[in-house]
Amino acid sequence: MKKRVLNNLSWKILSVVAAIICWIVVVNIDDTIESKTIRNVSVTLINTDALTSQDQTYMIEEGTDKVNITVYARRTELAKVKESDFTVTADVEKDLRYDSMVKIEVTYTGSATIDSVSQSRENVLLSIEEKVTEQFKVIVETTGEPADGLMVGATTPEQTLIEVSGPKSEVERVKRVVAEVDITGITGTATRTCTLKLTNSDGEEITSSQLEYTGKDTDFSVTVTTLSTKLVGISFDVSEAAPEGYSLASISYKPETVTIAGEESAIRSIYNLNIPASALNPDGEIGTVQQTVDISQYLDDGILIPSEEEKEIAVTMEIVANGTGEYSLPTDSIVLENLEEGLEAKLTEPDTIVITVTGLPSALAELTTENITASVDLSEITRAGTYTETLSVTLPENLSCAELPEITIKVNEAEEE
């Protein structure tokens, strides 16, 4: 038996070795080293506070935060590899180079045995800028219309100023912060919500993910108050329209009516806007005088004129030199008024008194003594005597007495009957 086992031993050993080699060859042919590529794996930036703590902002250049990972391993091991087995990071604090590149590190955390890993790019590219903050006034713009007969009064945003923060180049693009609110059908006072939008100098909306501000992704409220409207007339106080020695011959203006707005209780009793004398001809011009009067400045608080075109009234006036005329009044036409009971009075003047009247030549041409009323107020006289009193003269419009004459009156005790 022993002889049989040892017979051709060398060949038998050689056969075993050959079998092992064949097995190894077969295994290597069937389980070769292959590769697997995992595409578009996101790179996570870490320790970014190294920039933000220094008031800097960063933006990843498009596409540089994605990397393709190629894994090399035997087929059986490669089958175990998953995308979630890889941690891909870029450490801003440790690996920032040339102020724009951060080295990408790929770490395999899975259980498979792998030969090697390669990556399609080595760095994340950053755009780093100074971080700035700027304040902007919130501008409210409305869309739609309130209920019939109403107009928009006040629009009050929840914040009048908004701080916008971000990269300097992005913040510098911002020119307006707009709250656009829909007011369709509102009455009284209502609060509506909207989102804020930023616009550039051309009015185009800026949609930058790097800009931070209140109301960017949350509701922003605006309180809107509606006002009632009413059509009213306009009148001017013309008492100071003409300088001394001149008179107002005519006045015309457009428009003659205007729409006002305000709380219903405030405008209910208004039918006419009375514009004060100081509004007309402040420079004392003569001849044909044309001016524009902004009547909105003479409105009471809480009253406004919605239309910009109606705020300014075009006024045309004719300012002419005064004429002068003398008129003789019969003394018996002078009325003695308010004489105390128990007294009687009579004029000591001649039969007529001459008064000098100035004013518009056209008005003077039509004036007669029948249009002139003269009187004397005797209410201050309490006993008999001779008194000198100033005559009071009432004249038609656009005429005045240049100098009121004085007259002498004798007062006696009334005789008992």
Side-chain angles (χ1 to χ4, degrees), residues 145-349:
E145 296 293 335
D148 290 345
L150 300 178
M151 62 159 289
V152 176
T155 54
T156 307
E158 65 175 82
Q159 288 182 229
T160 55
L161 291 176
I162 289 291
E163 288 188 345
V164 179
S165 300
K168 184 177 180 180
S169 63
E170 289 291 291
V171 174
E172 286 178 344
R173 293 173 59 208
V174 180
K175 301 304 177 186
R176 299 170 79 234
V177 175
V178 178
E180 188 176 87
V181 59
D182 184 2
I183 60 167
T184 301
I186 67 171
T187 61
T189 298
T191 298
R192 295 286 174 90
T193 58
C194 61
T195 56
L196 290 181
K197 67 177 183 179
L198 313 181
T199 62
N200 60 20
S201 57
D202 295 324
E204 299 168 340
E205 185 173 359
I206 299 170
T207 55
S208 172
S209 60
Q210 291 189 284
L211 294 176
E212 301 171 358
Y213 52 93
T214 300
K216 178 180 181 180
D217 300 311
T218 57
D219 285 341
F220 186 86
S221 64
V222 176
T223 301
V224 182
T225 301
T226 58
L227 301 175
S228 299
T229 59
K230 185 178 183 180
L231 184 67
V232 298
I234 304 169
S235 63
F236 288 91
D237 181 345
V238 299
S239 61
E240 300 176 13
E244 187 175 355
Y246 292 81
S247 291
L248 176 66
S250 66
I251 180 172
S252 62
Y253 48 88
K254 294 292 182 181
E256 297 179 349
T257 59
V258 65
T259 298
I260 61 172
E263 295 290 339
E264 172 63 26
S265 58
I267 68 173
R268 186 181 300 118
S269 61
I270 300 176
Y271 297 94
N272 194 76
L273 299 181
N274 301 307
I275 311 304
S278 59
L280 292 180
N281 198 16
D283 297 328
E285 299 179 56
I286 59 174
T288 301
V289 179
Q290 295 179 324
Q291 72 173 107
T292 300
V293 180
D294 181 358
I295 63 173
S296 63
Q297 61 185 305
Y298 303 109
L299 300 178
D300 292 337
D301 290 343
I303 309 297
L304 56 87
I305 298 174
S307 172
E308 290 294 327
E309 295 179 355
E310 292 186 347
K311 289 181 180 179
E312 295 191 337
I313 308 301
V315 181
T316 301
M317 296 171 287
E318 289 293 332
I319 310 292
V320 299
N322 285 334
T324 303
E326 291 186 345
Y327 296 83
S328 296
L329 296 179
T331 54
D332 59 4
S333 68
I334 298 174
V335 180
L336 303 179
E337 298 179 327
N338 303 319
L339 183 62
E340 188 173 298
E341 188 176 353
L343 299 176
E344 59 182 16
K346 65 177 181 178
L347 298 174
T348 63
E349 303 294 334

